[in-house]
Amino acid sequence: MKQAFFTRCLFFLTGILVLSFGITLTIKGQIFGVGSWDVLHIGLTKTFGLTIGTWSIIIGLAILAIDMIVTKKFPLPGTFIDMFLAGIFIDIFNYWLPDINGFWMQLLAYVCGLVLLGWGCGMYMVANLGIGPRDSLMLLMVHKFGWSVTRARTTMEVTVAILGFLLGGPIGVGTALMAFGLGPIVQLALTYNEKLFTKWTGVKSAVI
């Protein structure tokens, strides 16, 4: 029992670190545009101030409120932990990592960030300790509409990108790539990490 819980915590915390680092790398590769949610966060930062991580937390709280109204359920404590840790880690990584110059270096940063973001999502979700607000919204769409993870994630990313652009956030080819490419990466990461989690703990995750 203790080993299974330790493994859950390991998947959960490592996944949050990986996805936060991935988000920061995509921001550093800004010549290609940023991810859909960061289009919104950066637009809000430019308009109202505060940091990208802070807006990530604020938007997360708003999404949780909607999720609770629809599902009539209170999120697991891990959901709030994920929301606050991700916002904090994004600001820390964004401060620590130097700005990246040059086409190829920014391309490398963006591609690596996209993969790490998707993989981190799949990794921490299988722990079943509570998922972040955006992933809660994605799974709500999966369960309510019977959509695949790919369809739900892509629909969400495109919608948020449009809203972020209207608020003045930066978009580019990388924004479209993330909107359509992140879903399949998350789907793959969920499948792989669920098998790995089950192998290590003997317990099957029930996320998807």
Side-chain angles (χ1 to χ4, degrees):
M1 180 66 72
K2 290 183 178 180
Q3 182 179 359
F5 181 72
F6 174 79
T7 303
R8 288 181 184 275
C9 292
L10 180 63
F11 270 73
F12 184 74
L13 295 176
T14 302
I16 293 174
L17 276 170
V18 171
L19 75 88
S20 300
F21 189 66
I23 289 172
T24 306
L25 283 177
T26 61
I27 293 174
K28 294 298 182 179
Q30 58 189 300
I31 191 175
F32 299 98
V34 295
S36 301
W37 287 104
D38 292 310
V39 174
L40 178 60
H41 300 153
I42 292 173
L44 289 168
T45 295
K46 289 182 176 179
T47 303
F48 302 106
L50 303 180
T51 65
I52 296 173
T54 300
W55 278 114
S56 176
I57 294 172
I58 293 173
I59 296 299
L61 287 171
I63 294 173
L64 284 183
I66 295 173
D67 186 68
M68 285 188 286
I69 292 173
V70 173
T71 63
K72 296 180 174 58
K73 294 180 180 179
F74 194 79
L76 293 172
T79 296
F80 293 95
I81 294 174
D82 166 81
M83 178 179 63
F84 284 105
L85 285 183
I88 292 170
F89 286 148
I90 289 170
D91 280 345
I92 290 175
F93 287 139
N94 201 36
Y95 175 78
W96 280 353
L97 292 177
D99 291 334
I100 299 173
N101 299 313
F103 178 88
W104 293 111
M105 290 302 295
Q106 289 207 18
L107 176 61
L108 179 62
Y110 178 85
V111 172
C112 290
L114 175 61
V115 174
L116 289 175
L117 169 56
W119 199 263
C121 285
M123 188 173 190
Y124 90 87
M125 287 170 67
V126 300
N128 265 340
L129 293 177
I131 59 177
R134 293 151 189 81
D135 295 315
S136 295
L137 180 60
M138 177 188 71
L139 291 181
L140 179 65
M141 295 166 69
V142 169
H143 296 148
K144 287 292 183 180
F145 304 129
W147 291 356
S148 67
V149 171
T150 297
R151 181 180 180 185
R153 188 85 196 199
T154 300
T155 300
M156 186 173 66
E157 295 288 329
V158 171
T159 302
V160 170
I162 294 173
L163 291 175
F165 175 72
L166 293 176
L167 286 172
I171 62 172
V173 64
T175 307
L177 179 61
M178 183 169 292
F180 292 99
L182 189 59
I185 296 174
V186 173
Q187 183 85 65
L188 178 64
L190 276 170
T191 302
Y192 176 83
N193 282 287
E194 185 173 46
K195 291 179 180 178
L196 184 61
F197 180 84
T198 302
K199 180 180 179 180
W200 285 6
T201 64
V203 179
K204 181 175 176 58
S205 174
V207 175
I208 57 175

